[in-house]
């Protein structure tokens, strides 16, 4: 989550310093069956709010000293996004260290490998073993084409030619799929396909991958696997396969090199049998899995502040909270649910 960021500021403020648009939070508190949730006890509590400052202000909140209730946290955060940020920012900058363990990262992994290297096969294993949500950009595009979308013909032509679909189309599909899913661990397969995809995704979502899986496999082996796949895909023919290899070498390899220069690439020998490849995958995932397994299984919520969508979730008592800016979006289809 927001790993591309930039700077953290933790602000401690008494609850009553925060100006809400209305007082319904207190009304809510009085209505709560939980005695700690009444208005007077809330006003005595202290809240630490963490902001991430970037190109735009992306709020990330973590709460300390709050004996919170889940309804309160949810309502508080929704209100806080809507309230005047400037009022809070002018007060009480405490320390950057406070952030520490309290910010729980939104885990994102990319699997970026040649066509036919076996990334789809391994992603299925990773989902079963480590509980990630697997989003295959290619599958999302194929489903979009099948749905009769206005982009259907364009997508079909691009896939047939092995070309890369414009970033805005693919990113919108990925964002929608992430928003529709409660998981906090996503494995995005076959994306970003080129530098433009990568830069657009990071700029829109402000999310960077934790690491990038790279399945090393020769063209000869990949070609043999694709020709033997037998799933009726329009691009599993020798002409399209060769075009895909060319696009991969010219456009996708530079993305892998970019992530490699940032120390994020985990290279795996993908020419071995499926089970052996998965053993290597497991050794890459296990340390990360250990690190994040304490994370909350609370459901994700979504809300919008101005033109930005925020994905957030709360776990009360143990102070687990995550917030992720999903970027500028007009998503009228979900606005009614908020
Ligand atoms: N390690 C392996 N050894 C032998 N065959 C494999 C291995 N991994 C995958 N395959 C087979 O190779 C074919 C391609 O695998 P898969 O669909 O996982 O590739 P992919 O990288 O996701 O391809 P694409 O980019 O075209 O979606 C499948 O038929 C799969 O069963
Ligand atoms: O981010 C993406 C992912 C895929 N495409 C197009 O889809 C095909 C098939 O992708 P697979 O990952 O192999 O299933 C690919 O050749 C591209 O044409 C895309 O444009 N952008």
């Amino acid at each position: 989550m927001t790993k591309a960021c930039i700077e953290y500021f933790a602000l401690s403020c008494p609850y009553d310093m925060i100006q809400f648009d209305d007082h319904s939070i207190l009304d809510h508190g009085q209505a709560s069956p939980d005695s700690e949730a009444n208005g007077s006890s809330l006003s005595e509590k202290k809240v630490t709010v963490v902001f991430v400052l970037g190109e735009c202000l992306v709020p990330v909140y973590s709460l300390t000293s709050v004996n919170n209730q889940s309804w309160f946290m949810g309502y508080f955060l929704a209100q806080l996004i809507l309230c005047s940020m400037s009022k809070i920012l002018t007060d009480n900058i405490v320390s950057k260290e406070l952030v520490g363990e309290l910010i729980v990262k939104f885990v994102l992994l990319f699997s970026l490998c040649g066509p036919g290297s076996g990334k789809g096969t391994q992603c299925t294993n990773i989902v079963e073993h480590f509980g990630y949500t697997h989003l295959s950009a290619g599958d999302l595009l194929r489903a979009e084409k099948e749905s009769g979308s206005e982009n259907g013909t364009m997508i079909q032509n691009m896939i047939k030619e092995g070309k890369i679909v414009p970033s805005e189309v693919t990113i919108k599909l990925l964002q929608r799929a992430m928003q529709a899913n409660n998981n906090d661990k996503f494995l995005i397969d076959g994306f970003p396909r080129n530098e433009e995809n990568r830069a657009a995704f990071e700029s829109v979502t402000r999310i960077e991958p934790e690491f990038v899986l790279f399945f090393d496999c020769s063209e000869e082996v990949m070609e043999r696997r694709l020709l033997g796949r037998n799933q009726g895909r329009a691009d599993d023919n020798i002409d399209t396969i060769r075009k895909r290899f060319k696009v991969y070498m010219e456009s996708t390899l530079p993305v892998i090199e970019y992530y490699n220069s940032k120390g994020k690439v985990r290279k795996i020998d993908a020419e071995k049998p499926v089970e052996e490849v998965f053993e290597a995958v497991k050794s890459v995932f296990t340390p990360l899995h250990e690190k994040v397994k304490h994370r909350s299984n609370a459901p994700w919520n979504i809300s919008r502040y101005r033109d930005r969508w925020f994905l957030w979730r709360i776990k009360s008592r143990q102070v687990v909270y995550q917030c992720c800016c999903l970027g500028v979006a007009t998503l009228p289809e979900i606005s009614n649910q908020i």
Side-chain angles (χ1 to χ4, degrees):
M1 142 192 132
T2 58
K3 282 192 73 187
C5 73
I6 312 141
E7 236 177 330
Y8 293 110
F9 290 96
L11 315 171
S12 270
C13 38
Y15 173 74
D16 61 9
M17 233 184 71
I18 299 165
Q19 301 225 313
F20 291 96
D21 288 350
D22 58 44
H23 293 284
S24 50
I25 189 166
L26 297 183
D27 300 338
H28 226 300
Q30 278 148 8
S32 166
D34 189 332
S35 61
E36 286 171 2
N38 64 58
S40 57
S41 66
L42 288 179
S43 65
E44 288 159 19
K45 295 183 192 304
K46 197 173 143 212
V47 176
T48 297
V49 184
V50 180
F51 289 94
V52 181
L53 298 183
E55 188 187 311
C56 66
L57 190 68
V58 180
V60 173
Y61 308 91
S62 77
L63 296 158
T64 54
S65 322
V66 177
N67 213 358
N68 50 292
Q69 297 75 36
S70 55
W71 67 265
F72 163 67
M73 298 282 281
Y75 198 81
F76 167 77
L77 287 159
Q79 289 295 310
L80 195 53
I81 286 169
L82 297 171
C83 82
S84 155
M85 303 272 180
S86 57
K87 164 92 180 118
I88 303 167
L89 275 173
T90 51
D91 290 294
N92 292 354
I93 289 186
V94 177
S95 77
K96 293 181 185 181
E97 286 72 45
L98 254 176
V99 180
E101 279 290 292
L102 292 177
I103 289 190
V104 184
K105 286 184 192 126
F106 186 82
V107 183
L108 177 75
L109 305 174
F110 289 145
S111 140
L112 264 188
C113 329
S117 57
K119 58 190 181 317
T121 305
Q122 294 302 329
C123 285
T124 307
N125 288 341
I126 293 165
V127 167
E128 275 171 24
H129 209 85
F130 295 107
Y132 280 75
T133 293
H134 172 210
L135 299 179
S136 154
D139 285 351
L140 290 171
L141 288 167
R142 282 183 284 274
E144 179 72 355
K145 185 203 80 185
E146 292 301 323
S147 75
S149 130
E150 57 181 0
N151 289 320
T153 310
M154 180 273 290
I155 293 172
Q156 183 171 20
N157 292 337
M158 299 301 260
I159 290 180
K160 188 83 208 325
E161 288 303 308
K163 291 186 179 159
I164 299 169
V165 172
S167 296
E168 65 268 20
V169 174
T170 316
I171 291 173
K172 195 170 154 200
L173 294 175
L174 287 169
Q175 278 187 300
R176 264 202 216 143
M178 289 168 83
Q179 284 160 354
N181 199 291
N182 277 342
N183 206 343
D184 64 344
K185 299 188 292 185
F186 291 95
L187 178 57
I188 297 188
D189 164 12
F191 180 91
R193 245 21 196 221
N194 59 15
E195 269 297 296
E196 200 262 329
N197 273 179
R198 180 195 67 72
F201 182 82
E202 282 180 15
S203 129
V204 169
T205 65
R206 308 192 67 78
I207 307 172
E208 265 192 37
E210 194 89 10
F211 61 69
V212 175
L213 281 173
F214 170 53
F215 292 129
D216 196 18
C217 198
S218 66
E219 283 195 5
E220 193 193 341
V221 172
M222 292 194 285
E223 185 179 300
R224 198 171 58 238
R225 287 181 185 173
L226 290 174
L227 289 173
R229 181 154 56 180
N230 282 331
Q231 286 178 359
R233 274 179 51 164
D235 51 355
D236 280 352
N237 59 75
I238 194 66
D239 280 354
T240 314
I241 289 171
R242 297 263 157 89
K243 287 177 186 163
R244 292 168 74 197
F245 285 160
K246 189 163 183 289
V247 170
Y248 176 72
M249 296 301 285
E250 288 172 1
S251 305
T252 313
L253 268 187
V255 182
I256 296 168
E257 277 154 18
Y258 167 84
Y259 284 123
N260 199 27
S261 72
K262 300 187 95 187
K264 285 184 184 264
V265 171
R266 305 290 181 271
K267 186 169 160 182
I268 285 163
D269 178 356
E271 294 202 356
K272 295 189 169 149
V274 174
E275 301 71 27
E276 281 182 44
V277 177
F278 189 54
E279 284 307 310
V281 169
K282 273 202 281 194
S283 65
V284 166
F285 271 77
T286 303
L288 174 69
H289 191 63
E290 289 300 309
K291 211 169 80 186
V292 301
K293 75 178 175 198
H294 67 281
R295 290 182 192 178
S296 163
N297 55 4
W300 284 99
N301 298 284
I302 185 161
S303 40
R304 188 168 66 177
Y305 173 63
R306 303 222 166 117
D307 62 349
R308 281 185 188 260
W309 289 91
F310 291 86
L311 194 62
W312 53 266
R313 70 181 192 171
I314 319 289
K315 187 173 184 184
S316 61
R317 310 280 175 209
Q318 289 168 31
V319 196
V320 174
Y321 171 66
Q322 292 175 269
C323 178
C324 165
C325 177
L326 290 173
V328 177
T330 48
L331 296 173
E333 68 273 18
I334 56 173
S335 64
N336 290 337
Q337 297 165 25
I338 293 166

